[in-house]
Amino acid sequence: MKQISVVLFVFILVLGSCLPDTNAIIKNLTTKSFKVTIDDKGSLANLIDLKTGKDYILKDSLAPLLSVRINNQIMYPISAKTNDSTLLLNFENDIVAIIKTEEKETHITFELISITKKDSVELIIWGPYPTSIQKTIGETIGVVRDENFAIGIQALNIKTLGGYPWNESDRMPAFDIFKEDNSNNMHPKSDGSVLYRVEAAMPITNGSSLQAYCRNRTIERIYSDVGHQKIIAPIYDDGGLMGSKIALFGCAEVKTLNTLGEIELAEGLPHPMIDGEWVKTNPNAGAAYLITSFKEDNVEEAIELTKKAGLKYLYHYGKTFKNWGHFDLDTDEFPNGIEGLKKCVEKAADHGVKIGTHCLSNFITTNDPYVTPIPDNRLAKVGSSIIVGNVNAEATEISILSPEYFNQMKNNNLKTVLIGEELIRYGNVSEEPPWRLLDCQRGAYETVASEHKSGEEISKLLDHSYKVFLTNADLTKEMSVTLANLYNQTGLRQISFDGLEGNRSTGLGTYGESLMPYVWYNSLSDELKDHLIVDASRTTHFFWHIYSRMNWGEPWYAGFRESQVEYRFNNQAYFKRNYMPGMLGWFKMTPETSVEDMEWMLAKSAGYDAGYALVADLTTVDQNGNSEKILKLIGDWEKLRISNSFTEKQKEAMRDNTKEFSIDRINDHEWHWQEIYSEITTHLKKDRQPGEPLYSTFAFDNPGENQVLNFIITANNCDVSGITIEINSYKKIEIPMTLKEGQILKYTDSNEVTLYNSNWDAIKTIKIDLSNFSINAGENLIDFNCKFDKADKDANIKLEIRMKLNTQLVVLNNQNTTVSK
């Protein structure tokens, strides 16, 4: 993709530099802050900030208002005329496009209302429009901006895609020649590694570009996508190219988000709210939330857990549905069905808690009525062939005319074909003609094995590695309405469209990804739209108008500090430059989760002003001895974050991954905020000759004042006893306690050392005189020793040193302005 994007924009620059500088301006279009001029060649000649007079068009670059593609060749307008509110663009081969223009206070709209030879036009392209802005490039939202001014493009209907047709799958290419830095900018790099993909805006040499396009979907086409080299995109009737519409706007940088909201309202785009405020400006769009399983008979416990954590959103993550497709509720979780779930929602609402649930978008389980006993013909297909010869109900080999859609095994998870009303699974395809499906299992998924005549259509079904089938566009829309009806009937207020990329099965690319949430949203009641949180693991230019946030980060593979940490933090720059709430993803609380690990995450949440999802089932919370303290800390940190009570300097410090922080409640309005210096070392069991010391010596630099040593000691793969700690070769303490494997010894500012089991249940405490056990500021040495009870080579003891640094007062900001000291 690197070669395509570079070649494309080099071509634009070179072609632009060859153009004569004598084109006449034929149309001026203005808003209250922005002017766009169009010349007699149908190109944008100026992008002007009316306040300063600065022109942001990238000079010597091609900037066609609209281009067309015919026979895979892009054609640019050769002349243009204007007539009141329309522009007439002339292309070669007698192609004429008529574009309606409209000037509004905040933006200018362009809509294709007519084009000749429309059946031969494969697609139209709005732009690319090159600008001289480089500082911040919002690739998804389609906005580029510097310190003073922002210029943006908005697709005004779902069929107009933010981006450029780099490939036939309508898949966004990677930002493979640019990288982010900590200031959210884009810069060239050489290694090609990136996080996010180009869409409505992208960096180019000396500036940026804005672009959108619309594909003619009245013709079936073959393309590569979803793990298949050849897949058929079926005809889709969305009115074709006519009606494709965009907005261009320019405004003061500080007014960009409000301008986007005004465009949504003016153009009838989705505009979801939270308690009467636009979701994009309401801080609760990025609120942390609790994920836990619950049933009708214990929902009160889940609600109480949510309240203890100081959170307002409870997300069901059990077996909500017994199938995906029809979204029938699981009777084990909700034996009273819709009414049972509705009562759960109402009980939560009585306590100020909103309930949501998880959805795997257009995934269809094999037990769903769309699959069995009679499969729906709208299940997505890779492609089709015909049967050669009659097939009886017992045949285990089926002859087909062509193998091309059946022998693609890379993403062939269920190996299922559809003939009439029968599903058949097959083992493989013969390697040479006559082409045959081999080792067929007839009447799969409780369909009926039947006879089939020669010449009947046989279709390879598209599937996913979750062992599910997918949908065509019509079935996607039907499922969306079904899901919306569930929300309307129960009052659910939060949804996560997981697996949204599955909707590429529609053959519509990113259009398909937006289609499901778009139909779902438009099918919701107005009451639900007034308080709604929508998240997903990915987004698109158009989906930005529907969703509240992107939230993804799997917690299953490691602890808080190890599971996809770099990915979670790097996401934040992407969110910021695309006007999205910060979110850190999912974190899983276990019985072993420590207060220190939880505060590490909570400080990062505050530093990035990013919400998160806490996965914590009721049993886990009961098992963790720190639960009460952890839940109280979650509520306190979240209250301070949402109210914007931390200063920017404090937030910057908390974003430093080498630092840790803690808060200590003074009263309902004030907290002590402390930086913690932490260093973790490991003492290993050693084999030495007689007389050789077995202790480990650790050097560390205390950046704080002189203070008493705080520590956490954990026994791993063994029992240990005889623990000694000696500071700076003269102050020695002996801890008369045996640690069983997995147990933890912790000391924090008192005259007691506490022994915990691995779940942080206190076992016992011992009095100890640590008054003279102080650490100097600056360099220190610690000698650590213990006795290991067995010769396990993996036996070790972990020592974590924790020292307090500066302490500051943080005051709760009830007015949502910074008042921290």
Side-chain angles (χ1 to χ4, degrees):
M1 211 63 255
K2 178 177 180 178
Q3 281 186 319
I4 294 175
S5 59
V6 171
V7 170
L8 169 66
F9 285 99
V10 167
F11 171 72
I12 290 174
L13 291 171
V14 170
L15 180 59
S17 65
C18 300
L19 297 174
D21 194 25
T22 57
N23 296 346
I25 301 299
I26 63 168
K27 196 169 189 68
N28 292 301
L29 297 161
T30 61
T31 70
K32 60 185 178 183
S33 58
F34 185 50
K35 181 166 80 170
V36 176
T37 66
I38 299 172
D39 65 26
D40 58 2
K41 298 298 183 183
S43 291
L44 273 59
N46 307 101
L47 298 169
I48 298 173
D49 175 358
L50 288 179
K51 182 178 179 180
T52 65
K54 183 175 180 178
D55 187 0
Y56 285 92
I57 198 77
L58 189 62
K59 302 300 181 183
D60 299 325
S61 300
L62 184 65
L65 174 63
L66 184 80
S67 305
V68 300
R69 197 180 82 181
I70 298 176
N71 295 326
N72 212 33
Q73 297 295 315
I74 295 175
M75 299 168 56
Y76 303 98
I78 55 178
S79 66
K81 295 180 181 178
T82 182
N83 179 23
D84 296 329
S85 63
T86 60
L87 282 165
L88 187 147
L89 303 183
N90 292 297
F91 300 82
E92 294 179 354
N93 301 329
D94 298 322
I95 302 294
V96 180
I98 299 177
I99 298 170
K100 179 183 178 182
T101 64
E102 189 172 358
E103 298 165 287
K104 300 188 178 182
E105 278 198 5
T106 52
H107 61 288
I108 301 160
T109 65
F110 299 90
E111 180 181 4
L112 180 68
I113 59 175
S114 174
I115 192 167
T116 58
K117 301 184 179 180
K118 63 180 181 180
D119 292 338
S120 66
V121 179
E122 298 162 351
L123 52 82
I124 60 169
I125 305 167
W126 300 99
Y129 307 130
T131 87
S132 59
I133 296 176
Q134 292 181 288
K135 185 176 187 294
T136 303
I137 297 169
E139 67 272 40
T140 298
I141 187 55
V143 176
V144 299
R145 61 194 196 272
D146 59 20
E147 298 85 351
N148 303 308
F149 202 66
I151 299 176
I153 188 171
Q154 292 290 284
L156 296 182
N157 48 44
I158 192 171
K159 69 179 178 182
T160 305
L161 307 183
Y164 190 91
W166 284 277
N167 53 59
E168 290 306 297
S169 69
D170 294 334
R171 182 180 292 279
M172 299 171 284
F175 262 138
D176 52 1
I177 56 170
F178 290 84
K179 70 174 182 178
E180 304 157 79
D181 66 15
N182 290 331
S183 61
N184 310 307
N185 300 333
M186 292 289 171
H187 299 285
K189 66 185 299 190
S190 58
D191 64 8
S193 61
V194 294
L195 273 175
Y196 286 96
R197 296 171 292 173
V198 175
E199 203 176 356
M202 74 172 289
I204 60 174
T205 303
N206 298 323
S208 56
S209 72
L210 302 167
Q211 53 272 327
Y213 69 106
C214 182
R215 189 180 292 279
N216 185 350
R217 302 185 185 275
T218 61
I219 303 170
E220 186 178 277
R221 61 192 179 90
I222 298 174
Y223 68 108
S224 299
D225 198 10
V226 290
H228 293 279
Q229 289 300 310
K230 295 185 71 175
I231 185 171
I232 290 179
I235 293 171
Y236 183 66
D237 183 11
D238 60 0
L241 302 172
M242 286 342 106
S244 177
K245 187 177 183 182
I246 65 163
L248 287 180
F249 72 92
C251 65
E253 192 275 337
V254 296
K255 295 183 178 180
T256 307
L257 187 56
N258 286 337
T259 299
L260 288 165
E262 290 177 30
I263 291 172
E264 283 186 355
L265 292 172
E267 300 299 330
L269 296 174
H271 192 75
M273 314 286 276
I274 296 179
D275 295 334
E277 181 182 350
W278 185 35
V279 69
K280 292 298 191 295
T281 58
N282 192 311
N284 286 299
Y289 57 104
L290 178 70
I291 296 179
T292 193
S293 59
F294 60 84
K295 301 180 180 182
E296 284 183 44
D297 59 6
N298 69 349
V299 66
E300 291 88 354
E301 296 176 49
I303 295 168
E304 185 61 27
L305 179 59
T306 309
K307 291 172 61 182
K308 280 187 176 181
L311 303 179
K312 297 180 179 179
Y313 295 93
L314 170 61
Y315 182 88
H316 185 265
Y317 195 66
K319 293 167 58 183
T320 311
F321 306 110
K322 69 180 181 182
N323 51 39
W324 300 333
H326 281 72
F327 301 111
D328 296 314
L329 292 174
D330 185 89
T331 52
D332 289 338
E333 306 277 302
F334 303 103
N336 293 300
I338 296 289
E339 283 303 312
L341 178 55
K342 182 180 179 181
K343 286 183 178 178
C344 291
V345 171
E346 290 171 346
K347 287 178 181 179
D350 289 341
H351 294 273
V353 173
K354 302 288 192 297
I355 289 183
T357 193
H358 188 256
C359 160
L360 273 160
S361 298
N362 72 325
F363 291 13
I364 298 181
T365 50
T366 57
N367 67 331
D368 190 84
Y370 285 131
V371 175
T372 182
I374 299 176
D376 196 296
N377 197 47
R378 296 169 297 174
L379 294 171
K381 302 175 178 67
V382 179
S384 302
S385 185
I386 60 172
I387 299 171
V388 177
N390 295 336
V391 177
N392 64 37
E394 292 78 32
T396 59
E397 292 189 3
I398 299 175
S399 296
I400 56 176
L401 183 63
S402 171
E404 60 183 343
Y405 298 115
F406 302 82
N407 60 8
Q408 301 178 82
M409 297 298 179
K410 182 179 179 181
N411 192 30
N412 192 351
N413 306 285
L414 293 175
K415 294 184 177 178
T416 302
V417 298
L418 171 67
I419 313 176
E421 294 184 350
E422 182 185 0
L423 294 177
I424 302 169
R425 302 185 75 179
Y426 63 99
N428 219 320
V429 182
S430 61
E431 295 183 0
E432 56 186 28
W435 304 111
R436 290 160 294 137
L437 302 183
L438 306 175
D439 191 20
C440 295
Q441 300 175 25
R442 305 298 302 275
Y445 306 116
E446 299 184 13
T447 60
V448 177
S450 309
E451 295 183 357
H452 304 286
K453 301 296 184 182
S454 182
E456 280 190 55
E457 183 178 77
I458 179 171
S459 300
K460 171 67 182 70
L461 294 185
L462 188 60
D463 57 40
H464 185 274
S465 60
Y466 279 27
K467 302 292 186 179
V468 292
F469 294 112
L470 301 169
T471 58
N472 73 4
D474 286 340
L475 191 50
T476 283
K477 290 190 284 190
E478 183 170 296
M479 284 177 60
S480 305
V481 173
T482 299
L483 192 58
N485 287 339
L486 173 69
Y487 273 67
N488 288 333
Q489 291 171 319
T490 62
L492 290 166
R493 297 286 181 154
Q494 181 181 350
I495 191 170
S496 177
F497 282 103
D498 196 5
L500 202 56
E501 66 277 9
N503 282 284
R504 302 183 71 84
S505 64
T506 58
L508 301 176
T510 56
Y511 182 174
E513 291 184 40
S514 300
L515 185 63
M516 185 171 197
Y518 181 62
V519 173
W520 172 82
Y521 178 82
N522 286 334
S523 303
L524 294 177
S525 68
D526 290 340
E527 181 184 0
L528 285 185
K529 291 177 184 177
D530 190 57
H531 192 122
L532 188 66
I533 288 184
V534 181
D535 70 38
S537 58
R538 57 195 288 128
T539 188
T540 66
H541 174 68
F542 192 84
F543 186 30
W544 185 93
H545 297 291
I546 303 168
Y547 95 139
S548 313
R549 62 200 182 193
M550 191 171 115
N551 195 39
W552 187 81
E554 298 185 1
W556 322 116
Y557 314 117
F560 275 37
R561 307 183 193 221
E562 295 85 27
S563 182
Q564 301 179 323
V565 170
E566 183 178 358
Y567 176 83
R568 296 174 191 270
F569 296 157
N570 287 341
N571 275 345
Q572 307 313 310
Y574 167 74
F575 297 151
K576 190 171 183 179
R577 66 178 181 264
N578 284 285
Y579 296 99
M580 303 174 188
M583 295 296 290
L584 288 179
W586 291 23
F587 292 88
K588 182 176 174 60
M589 181 177 173
T590 69
E592 298 79 26
T593 298
S594 67
V595 170
E596 289 74 21
D597 281 349
M598 185 62 73
E599 282 210 282
W600 176 88
M601 184 274 287
L602 294 170
K604 295 297 173 281
S605 169
Y608 285 105
D609 191 14
Y612 56 88
L614 179 65
V615 182
D617 61 69
L618 298 170
T619 301
T620 291
V621 173
D622 286 342
Q623 292 174 343
N624 190 307
N626 281 327
S627 287
E628 289 298 321
K629 185 172 183 180
I630 284 175
L631 294 173
K632 186 173 288 293
L633 282 168
I634 289 170
D636 285 355
W637 276 99
E638 181 71 354
K639 184 186 296 183
L640 292 170
R641 181 183 73 86
I642 289 289
S643 62
N644 195 28
S645 296
F646 293 108
T647 67
E648 290 306 314
K649 188 173 181 179
Q650 289 168 340
K651 292 178 185 178
E652 181 182 3
M654 289 187 286
R655 291 194 292 269
D656 187 335
N657 203 28
T658 67
K659 297 180 178 180
E660 296 190 37
F661 299 86
S662 180
I663 59 173
D664 185 27
R665 176 191 282 258
I666 303 169
N667 53 51
D668 288 345
H669 303 284
E670 296 177 311
W671 286 258
H672 283 137
W673 174 85
Q674 292 181 325
E675 181 179 346
I676 306 294
Y677 171 78
S678 173
E679 187 166 322
I680 299 175
T681 57
T682 302
H683 172 61
L684 302 174
K685 188 179 187 305
K686 303 180 181 73
D687 292 321
R688 294 286 190 268
Q689 64 185 7
E692 185 176 356
L694 298 177
Y695 61 80
S696 297
T697 298
F698 308 114
F700 78 97
D701 188 359
N702 173 20
E705 302 294 330
N706 290 2
Q707 58 186 292
V708 173
L709 177 74
N710 282 213
F711 58 80
I712 302 172
I713 297 173
T714 307
N716 296 315
N717 303 311
C718 62
D719 296 349
V720 298
S721 59
I723 297 172
T724 63
I725 302 173
E726 184 171 283
I727 297 178
N728 296 325
S729 301
Y730 76 100
K731 290 192 293 187
K732 185 175 182 179
I733 186 168
E734 297 180 359
I735 301 177
M737 192 177 289
T738 296
L739 273 68
K740 299 294 185 182
E741 182 176 347
Q743 288 183 344
I744 305 156
L745 194 64
K746 184 175 180 179
Y747 170 72
T748 308
D749 289 341
S750 68
N751 62 351
E752 294 180 338
V753 176
T754 304
L755 178 67
Y756 298 90
N757 66 14
S758 60
N759 290 359
W760 293 99
D761 292 314
I763 299 172
K764 66 178 178 178
T765 61
I766 61 170
K767 298 289 184 181
I768 196 162
D769 183 7
L770 290 175
S771 59
N772 295 319
F773 200 50
S774 62
I775 294 290
N776 299 327
E779 294 184 1
N780 292 270
L781 288 178
I782 289 183
D783 293 335
F784 185 91
N785 204 1
C786 67
K787 294 178 182 179
F788 295 95
D789 75 323
K790 57 184 178 181
D792 190 330
K793 66 177 182 179
D794 293 324
N796 69 82
I797 194 163
K798 184 179 77 170
L799 170 64
E800 180 177 357
I801 298 168
R802 296 179 66 81
M803 310 298 293
K804 295 180 180 179
L805 302 184
N806 63 313
T807 299
Q808 299 177 28
L809 179 68
V810 177
V811 180
L812 182 65
N813 174 20
N814 292 322
Q815 287 74 43
N816 201 31
T817 58
T818 301
V819 296
S820 302
K821 299 178 183 179

